[in-house]
Amino acid sequence: MEEWKRILAASITKPKDLAKHLDVDPKEIEEIVGPYPMRITPTVLATIKAKGDAIWKQVVPDPVELDDLDSPDDPLEEDLDSPVPHLVHRYPDRVLLMVTNQCPIYCRFCTRKRLVGKPGFLKKGELDQAIAYLRQHREVRDVILSGGDPLLLPDHLIDRILNALRSIPHLEIIRFGTRVPGTLPQRITPELCHMLKRYHPIYMNLHFNHPDELTSEVKEACARLADAGIPLGAQTVLLKGVNDDPEIMKRLMHQLLLARIKPYYLYQADLTKGTNHFRTTVETGLKIIQALQGHTSGMAVPHFVIDAPGGGGKIPLLPNEYLLNLDEQGAVLKNYENKIYHYPQPARGRSRELPMVTSSSSNGWCSIKGVYE
Ligand SMILES: *Cc1c(COP(=O)(O)O)cnc(C)c1O
Ligand code: SF4
């Protein structure tokens, strides 16, 4: 058995084993892991320093998960945007493909809590069905391998999926969404990196929520991926009691950049049943963005988004602070130090002096609309 599989198998999944390491009541945990499985890898267990700390909250089952009765199981209505099993086609040119429902850890706040860690996910032939869908849909140029965690599949299966995807000429980029590098870094083997490299352009968005997750072992795993030429992004979920603080968030963003990971999205927590105790106000996220923008490297500022309940997709939010007014004269702007600036519009009427563009392109868009708008 490969070393990473052995380490994954040594993860904690049973309440009585958890009680050997942490101060928990195994009977209380037992009730929760029926509906919502637990898994804690040795790497993650080793980063828990105190009861209820930022790592603990993310992975140790909490009885309040079962008190949340009215919230939806699938608030993003992914199941309604799924033309074939395990494929979500919500945006015009990209799709999400869930290739497994297994994860290195089961995050207590997971949006897909309804699916992850349960048996019997991918049935025979379903992957072929998804590949066939992609082959027929020429508008899809970007596929995101997700789950669950796609990097928990064995190398030969990842190889087979990538090979099938790369046989589709209109697919341009392949992305992975994964929490493996931060929780099971041993999985990022030289063999895996070598295989992934053959299918470029491959991008990865890694899941990190707290600066303590970036241990030296984790950073080394990220370096192996970056050295394989894979651009690394990070997705972070805003979580009450974990990272809902500008200073913690700034430290996280700096740690990510040090590991050659570019912060991509900061998500407002979803409404998923069993996770509502993690939700913060929307203002908390806006204040964090405000505390980052201008105060530190622009590279360290993720897009803050709400994945709209009901399947509206990701909607970006910016603090309502920067644009004070906008009219024909120009924009009145406030910078990060609360100083006011004016940006004038280009001279009015100027565009009318431009020669009229006659419609030469077949869609005609460059003509009148382009000039006079
Ligand atoms: C997040 C997401 C994507 C990718 O969105 P980007 O903004 O391109 O990163 C695609 N499909 C679904 C269903 C998603 O939730
Ligand atoms: S790794 Fe991702 S998919 Fe898996 S439990 Fe955590 S948030 Fe959910």
Side-chain angles (χ1 to χ4, degrees), residues 210-237:
H210 192 276
D212 290 355
E213 295 165 27
L214 287 128
T215 63
S216 53
E217 197 187 18
V218 165
K219 284 184 182 153
E220 282 161 25
C222 296
R224 290 194 287 281
L225 291 169
D227 286 345
I230 302 170
L232 303 177
Q235 319 206 68
T236 299
V237 187

mmCIF file of all heavy atoms in Angstrom, residues 210-237:
data_model
loop_
_atom_site.group_PDB
_atom_site.id
_atom_site.type_symbol
_atom_site.label_atom_id
_atom_site.label_comp_id
_atom_site.label_asym_id
_atom_site.label_seq_id
_atom_site.Cartn_x
_atom_site.Cartn_y
_atom_site.Cartn_z
ATOM 1 N N HIS A 210 -7.391 28.707 7.919
ATOM 2 C CA HIS A 210 -6.709 29.292 9.087
ATOM 3 C C HIS A 210 -5.190 29.195 8.890
ATOM 4 O O HIS A 210 -4.708 28.177 8.345
ATOM 5 C CB HIS A 210 -7.135 28.540 10.361
ATOM 6 C CG HIS A 210 -6.711 29.233 11.618
ATOM 7 N ND1 HIS A 210 -5.455 29.067 12.157
ATOM 8 C CD2 HIS A 210 -7.347 30.124 12.411
ATOM 9 C CE1 HIS A 210 -5.346 29.817 13.250
ATOM 10 N NE2 HIS A 210 -6.489 30.473 13.421
ATOM 11 N N PRO A 211 -4.459 30.222 9.326
ATOM 12 C CA PRO A 211 -3.002 30.198 9.099
ATOM 13 C C PRO A 211 -2.298 28.980 9.714
ATOM 14 O O PRO A 211 -1.301 28.509 9.159
ATOM 15 C CB PRO A 211 -2.501 31.509 9.746
ATOM 16 C CG PRO A 211 -3.643 32.063 10.537
ATOM 17 C CD PRO A 211 -4.891 31.497 9.953
ATOM 18 N N ASP A 212 -2.831 28.433 10.812
ATOM 19 C CA ASP A 212 -2.174 27.277 11.445
ATOM 20 C C ASP A 212 -2.194 26.037 10.558
ATOM 21 O O ASP A 212 -1.478 25.064 10.826
ATOM 22 C CB ASP A 212 -2.844 26.927 12.785
ATOM 23 C CG ASP A 212 -2.566 27.981 13.847
ATOM 24 O OD1 ASP A 212 -1.784 28.914 13.568
ATOM 25 O OD2 ASP A 212 -3.161 27.880 14.936
ATOM 26 N N GLU A 213 -3.039 26.049 9.502
ATOM 27 C CA GLU A 213 -3.086 24.883 8.609
ATOM 28 C C GLU A 213 -1.844 24.791 7.732
ATOM 29 O O GLU A 213 -1.554 23.736 7.166
ATOM 30 C CB GLU A 213 -4.349 24.962 7.717
ATOM 31 C CG GLU A 213 -5.640 24.850 8.513
ATOM 32 C CD GLU A 213 -6.863 25.282 7.715
ATOM 33 O OE1 GLU A 213 -6.864 25.184 6.479
ATOM 34 O OE2 GLU A 213 -7.835 25.745 8.348
ATOM 35 N N LEU A 214 -1.110 25.902 7.599
ATOM 36 C CA LEU A 214 0.048 25.900 6.708
ATOM 37 C C LEU A 214 1.321 25.519 7.465
ATOM 38 O O LEU A 214 2.212 26.336 7.682
ATOM 39 C CB LEU A 214 0.168 27.249 6.000
ATOM 40 C CG LEU A 214 -0.932 27.364 4.932
ATOM 41 C CD1 LEU A 214 -1.713 28.636 5.086
ATOM 42 C CD2 LEU A 214 -0.368 27.200 3.548
ATOM 43 N N THR A 215 1.404 24.263 7.849
ATOM 44 C CA THR A 215 2.595 23.760 8.523
ATOM 45 C C THR A 215 3.709 23.582 7.478
ATOM 46 O O THR A 215 3.441 23.652 6.268
ATOM 47 C CB THR A 215 2.309 22.387 9.162
ATOM 48 O OG1 THR A 215 1.990 21.481 8.097
ATOM 49 C CG2 THR A 215 1.133 22.447 10.125
ATOM 50 N N SER A 216 4.927 23.316 7.924
ATOM 51 C CA SER A 216 6.027 23.183 6.954
ATOM 52 C C SER A 216 5.794 21.984 6.028
ATOM 53 O O SER A 216 6.076 22.046 4.837
ATOM 54 C CB SER A 216 7.373 23.089 7.669
ATOM 55 O OG SER A 216 7.325 22.073 8.630
ATOM 56 N N GLU A 217 5.222 20.925 6.585
ATOM 57 C CA GLU A 217 4.906 19.742 5.774
ATOM 58 C C GLU A 217 3.890 20.092 4.669
ATOM 59 O O GLU A 217 4.008 19.644 3.519
ATOM 60 C CB GLU A 217 4.280 18.724 6.741
ATOM 61 C CG GLU A 217 4.196 17.312 6.318
ATOM 62 C CD GLU A 217 3.373 16.493 7.344
ATOM 63 O OE1 GLU A 217 2.614 17.085 8.149
ATOM 64 O OE2 GLU A 217 3.485 15.253 7.315
ATOM 65 N N VAL A 218 2.900 20.896 5.025
ATOM 66 C CA VAL A 218 1.870 21.310 4.064
ATOM 67 C C VAL A 218 2.474 22.218 3.000
ATOM 68 O O VAL A 218 2.210 22.078 1.801
ATOM 69 C CB VAL A 218 0.697 22.002 4.813
ATOM 70 C CG1 VAL A 218 -0.210 22.756 3.862
ATOM 71 C CG2 VAL A 218 -0.092 20.965 5.611
ATOM 72 N N LYS A 219 3.318 23.137 3.440
ATOM 73 C CA LYS A 219 3.953 24.050 2.470
ATOM 74 C C LYS A 219 4.821 23.288 1.480
ATOM 75 O O LYS A 219 4.887 23.637 0.300
ATOM 76 C CB LYS A 219 4.790 25.101 3.186
ATOM 77 C CG LYS A 219 3.958 26.189 3.828
ATOM 78 C CD LYS A 219 4.883 27.226 4.436
ATOM 79 C CE LYS A 219 4.087 28.312 5.130
ATOM 80 N NZ LYS A 219 4.849 28.923 6.207
ATOM 81 N N GLU A 220 5.475 22.238 1.961
ATOM 82 C CA GLU A 220 6.308 21.434 1.052
ATOM 83 C C GLU A 220 5.447 20.732 -0.005
ATOM 84 O O GLU A 220 5.831 20.645 -1.170
ATOM 85 C CB GLU A 220 7.129 20.402 1.837
ATOM 86 C CG GLU A 220 8.341 21.033 2.507
ATOM 87 C CD GLU A 220 8.902 20.174 3.645
ATOM 88 O OE1 GLU A 220 8.686 18.933 3.615
ATOM 89 O OE2 GLU A 220 9.512 20.750 4.554
ATOM 90 N N ALA A 221 4.282 20.249 0.418
ATOM 91 C CA ALA A 221 3.377 19.602 -0.548
ATOM 92 C C ALA A 221 2.917 20.615 -1.596
ATOM 93 O O ALA A 221 2.871 20.318 -2.796
ATOM 94 C CB ALA A 221 2.177 18.997 0.183
ATOM 95 N N CYS A 222 2.594 21.829 -1.147
ATOM 96 C CA CYS A 222 2.175 22.884 -2.087
ATOM 97 C C CYS A 222 3.309 23.221 -3.041
ATOM 98 O O CYS A 222 3.084 23.451 -4.235
ATOM 99 C CB CYS A 222 1.729 24.129 -1.328
ATOM 100 S SG CYS A 222 0.263 23.831 -0.320
ATOM 101 N N ALA A 223 4.531 23.216 -2.531
ATOM 102 C CA ALA A 223 5.692 23.523 -3.381
ATOM 103 C C ALA A 223 5.855 22.466 -4.466
ATOM 104 O O ALA A 223 6.200 22.792 -5.609
ATOM 105 C CB ALA A 223 6.955 23.618 -2.522
ATOM 106 N N ARG A 224 5.582 21.213 -4.134
ATOM 107 C CA ARG A 224 5.701 20.156 -5.152
ATOM 108 C C ARG A 224 4.692 20.406 -6.292
ATOM 109 O O ARG A 224 5.007 20.229 -7.463
ATOM 110 C CB ARG A 224 5.475 18.772 -4.533
ATOM 111 C CG ARG A 224 6.621 18.335 -3.611
ATOM 112 C CD ARG A 224 6.565 16.860 -3.266
ATOM 113 N NE ARG A 224 5.515 16.468 -2.339
ATOM 114 C CZ ARG A 224 5.553 16.616 -1.001
ATOM 115 N NH1 ARG A 224 6.608 17.168 -0.416
ATOM 116 N NH2 ARG A 224 4.546 16.204 -0.243
ATOM 117 N N LEU A 225 3.483 20.837 -5.932
ATOM 118 C CA LEU A 225 2.475 21.137 -6.956
ATOM 119 C C LEU A 225 2.881 22.363 -7.777
ATOM 120 O O LEU A 225 2.793 22.365 -9.007
ATOM 121 C CB LEU A 225 1.114 21.379 -6.298
ATOM 122 C CG LEU A 225 0.459 20.157 -5.661
ATOM 123 C CD1 LEU A 225 -0.741 20.582 -4.800
ATOM 124 C CD2 LEU A 225 0.015 19.150 -6.712
ATOM 125 N N ALA A 226 3.337 23.396 -7.086
ATOM 126 C CA ALA A 226 3.752 24.619 -7.801
ATOM 127 C C ALA A 226 4.930 24.314 -8.725
ATOM 128 O O ALA A 226 4.995 24.806 -9.849
ATOM 129 C CB ALA A 226 4.102 25.714 -6.796
ATOM 130 N N ASP A 227 5.854 23.468 -8.254
ATOM 131 C CA ASP A 227 7.008 23.103 -9.082
ATOM 132 C C ASP A 227 6.592 22.278 -10.305
ATOM 133 O O ASP A 227 7.314 22.244 -11.299
ATOM 134 C CB ASP A 227 8.038 22.314 -8.268
ATOM 135 C CG ASP A 227 8.812 23.214 -7.307
ATOM 136 O OD1 ASP A 227 8.741 24.456 -7.478
ATOM 137 O OD2 ASP A 227 9.470 22.687 -6.396
ATOM 138 N N ALA A 228 5.426 21.641 -10.223
ATOM 139 C CA ALA A 228 4.918 20.907 -11.387
ATOM 140 C C ALA A 228 4.212 21.864 -12.355
ATOM 141 O O ALA A 228 3.579 21.423 -13.310
ATOM 142 C CB ALA A 228 3.964 19.804 -10.937
ATOM 143 N N GLY A 229 4.300 23.161 -12.077
ATOM 144 C CA GLY A 229 3.748 24.160 -12.990
ATOM 145 C C GLY A 229 2.261 24.376 -12.825
ATOM 146 O O GLY A 229 1.608 24.931 -13.703
ATOM 147 N N ILE A 230 1.703 23.953 -11.703
ATOM 148 C CA ILE A 230 0.263 24.102 -11.469
ATOM 149 C C ILE A 230 0.011 25.410 -10.711
ATOM 150 O O ILE A 230 0.459 25.543 -9.568
ATOM 151 C CB ILE A 230 -0.288 22.906 -10.655
ATOM 152 C CG1 ILE A 230 -0.011 21.594 -11.405
ATOM 153 C CG2 ILE A 230 -1.779 23.086 -10.374
ATOM 154 C CD1 ILE A 230 -0.301 20.351 -10.588
ATOM 155 N N PRO A 231 -0.672 26.375 -11.339
ATOM 156 C CA PRO A 231 -0.996 27.600 -10.610
ATOM 157 C C PRO A 231 -1.942 27.262 -9.445
ATOM 158 O O PRO A 231 -2.948 26.582 -9.639
ATOM 159 C CB PRO A 231 -1.690 28.483 -11.651
ATOM 160 C CG PRO A 231 -1.281 27.915 -12.974
ATOM 161 C CD PRO A 231 -1.124 26.437 -12.744
ATOM 162 N N LEU A 232 -1.601 27.733 -8.254
ATOM 163 C CA LEU A 232 -2.376 27.387 -7.059
ATOM 164 C C LEU A 232 -3.196 28.585 -6.591
ATOM 165 O O LEU A 232 -2.656 29.685 -6.439
ATOM 166 C CB LEU A 232 -1.445 26.933 -5.927
ATOM 167 C CG LEU A 232 -0.528 25.743 -6.227
ATOM 168 C CD1 LEU A 232 0.379 25.463 -5.027
ATOM 169 C CD2 LEU A 232 -1.349 24.496 -6.589
ATOM 170 N N GLY A 233 -4.486 28.366 -6.372
ATOM 171 C CA GLY A 233 -5.348 29.376 -5.775
ATOM 172 C C GLY A 233 -5.874 28.837 -4.463
ATOM 173 O O GLY A 233 -5.712 27.653 -4.164
ATOM 174 N N ALA A 234 -6.486 29.723 -3.671
ATOM 175 C CA ALA A 234 -7.056 29.249 -2.409
ATOM 176 C C ALA A 234 -8.504 29.673 -2.300
ATOM 177 O O ALA A 234 -8.888 30.755 -2.731
ATOM 178 C CB ALA A 234 -6.283 29.806 -1.223
ATOM 179 N N GLN A 235 -9.305 28.802 -1.729
ATOM 180 C CA GLN A 235 -10.681 29.128 -1.385
ATOM 181 C C GLN A 235 -10.799 29.012 0.126
ATOM 182 O O GLN A 235 -10.322 28.062 0.725
ATOM 183 C CB GLN A 235 -11.654 28.140 -2.031
ATOM 184 C CG GLN A 235 -11.249 27.811 -3.448
ATOM 185 C CD GLN A 235 -12.406 27.382 -4.317
ATOM 186 O OE1 GLN A 235 -13.267 28.187 -4.625
ATOM 187 N NE2 GLN A 235 -12.434 26.129 -4.693
ATOM 188 N N THR A 236 -11.445 30.022 0.702
ATOM 189 C CA THR A 236 -11.574 30.108 2.146
ATOM 190 C C THR A 236 -13.033 30.342 2.475
ATOM 191 O O THR A 236 -13.702 31.101 1.779
ATOM 192 C CB THR A 236 -10.718 31.291 2.653
ATOM 193 O OG1 THR A 236 -9.354 31.038 2.321
ATOM 194 C CG2 THR A 236 -10.832 31.504 4.150
ATOM 195 N N VAL A 237 -13.515 29.660 3.501
ATOM 196 C CA VAL A 237 -14.884 29.891 3.948
ATOM 197 C C VAL A 237 -14.819 30.732 5.221
ATOM 198 O O VAL A 237 -14.050 30.420 6.141
ATOM 199 C CB VAL A 237 -15.617 28.564 4.240
ATOM 200 C CG1 VAL A 237 -17.096 28.830 4.529
ATOM 201 C CG2 VAL A 237 -15.476 27.588 3.081
#
